[in-house]
């Protein structure tokens, strides 16, 4: 059967939704990793997109396997909305500059509890945030391992900036690339929805 028939469209739509599920899991995983670094506002949006993409991919997979008309219709509508939202979030991830990241990390750091800050200092082996901020004070209670090796430790802010920049670039690049495949998903679902199932009653248009 040529690619364009019922079976080919069904398989292509199923494969595309499996890819969406993997992308959703990737977005959630990378965003969760980067959430602790202070860029919470935009990372929260990425996690929401990832969860929503994962759910709609499951719905699309079920709709494709069963050739379910109603499920495929809502799949097309919701996937179109996900494309718009994901495109905007991905562009925001790529557009956020180092200065803005610094402001977000600085704001998040000072609303954290002492226990959370000390846990981050131990995890990243650093002390304090930025030595250029007016709020900076040498954290005498810092118990990072670097204090045992040297009288000075690397500032946590520089480490956070490096990791947050990596996370935002990954999220923005992956999200932006796969957002355009969602247009293909809408087209495939629309095409598949209007095709006849050869195993069904030939007189019934499904």
């Amino acid at each position: 059967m040529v690619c364009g028939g019922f079976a080919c469209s069904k398989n292509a739509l199923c494969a595309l939704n499996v890819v969406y599920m993997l992308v959703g899991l990737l977005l959630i995983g990378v965003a969760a990793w980067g959430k602790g670094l202070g860029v919470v506002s935009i990372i929260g949006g990425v996690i929401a997109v990832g969860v929503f993409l994962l759910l709609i991919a499951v719905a699309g997979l079920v709709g494709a396997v069963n050739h379910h008309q109603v499920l495929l219709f809502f799949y097309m509508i919701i996937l179109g909305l996900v494309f718009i939202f994901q495109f905007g979030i991905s562009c925001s991830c790529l557009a956020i500059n180092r200065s803005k990241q610094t402001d977000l990390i600085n704001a998040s750091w000072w609303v954290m509890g002492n226990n959370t800050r000390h846990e981050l200092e131990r995890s990243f082996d650093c002390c304090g945030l930025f030595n250029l901020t007016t709020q900076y004070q040498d954290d005498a209670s810092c118990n990072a391992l670097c204090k045992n090796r040297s009288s000075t430790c690397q500032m946590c802010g520089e480490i956070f900036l490096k990791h947050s920049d990596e996370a935002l670039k990954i999220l923005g690049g992956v999200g932006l690339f796969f957002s355009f495949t969602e247009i293909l998903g809408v087209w495939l679902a629309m095409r598949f929805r209007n095709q006849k199932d050869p195993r069904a009653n030939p007189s019934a248009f499904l």
Side-chain angles (χ1 to χ4, degrees):
M1 183 175 290
V2 295
C3 191
F6 182 87
C8 184
S9 297
K10 178 179 180 179
N11 292 335
L13 192 57
C14 288
L16 194 61
N17 280 289
V18 170
V19 172
Y20 289 159
M21 292 172 69
L22 296 176
V23 172
L25 291 172
L26 178 64
L27 291 175
I28 294 169
V30 176
W33 171 68
K35 191 173 182 180
L37 302 177
V39 196
V40 177
S41 56
I42 196 163
I43 292 294
V46 174
I47 292 177
V49 168
V51 171
F52 210 60
L53 185 60
L54 186 61
L55 294 175
I56 193 62
V58 172
L61 192 59
V62 173
V65 170
N66 298 313
H67 199 222
H68 196 289
Q69 295 289 296
V70 177
L71 202 54
L72 287 171
F73 173 77
F74 283 106
Y75 169 80
M76 291 187 302
I77 300 298
I78 297 174
L79 190 62
L81 296 176
V82 170
F83 161 74
I84 296 172
F85 191 54
Q86 184 175 329
F87 181 81
I89 290 290
S90 299
C91 290
S92 299
C93 285
L94 295 173
I96 187 170
N97 57 34
R98 195 175 181 85
S99 175
K100 184 63 175 176
Q101 290 180 47
T102 301
D103 293 340
L104 291 171
I105 291 171
N106 191 44
S108 298
W109 178 265
W110 295 108
V111 298
M112 290 178 184
N114 289 331
N115 291 337
T116 304
R117 287 204 293 266
H118 294 158
E119 185 178 337
L120 286 172
E121 287 172 337
R122 286 193 301 270
S123 299
F124 290 95
D125 197 20
C126 58
C127 285
L129 189 60
F130 295 109
N131 58 2
L132 297 179
T133 175
T134 56
Q135 292 177 295
Y136 172 74
Q137 294 176 348
D138 187 29
D139 190 356
S141 62
C142 175
N143 54 4
L145 294 176
C146 61
K147 294 195 79 172
N148 299 327
R149 298 192 302 266
S150 172
S151 58
T152 58
C153 288
Q154 186 176 2
M155 306 303 298
C156 293
E158 293 301 322
I159 298 176
F160 293 167
L161 272 176
K162 178 183 177 182
H163 288 300
S164 67
D165 193 54
E166 291 173 354
L168 288 171
K169 285 180 180 177
I170 293 172
L171 292 171
V174 171
L176 189 62
F177 175 79
F178 283 101
S179 66
F180 290 104
T181 67
E182 287 157 11
I183 300 175
L184 175 63
V186 172
W187 177 79
L188 268 176
M190 186 183 303
R191 192 171 185 277
F192 177 64
R193 185 172 178 268
N194 292 320
Q195 288 179 320
K196 290 183 181 180
D197 187 345
R199 297 169 301 177
N201 184 353
S203 63
F205 183 77
L206 298 179

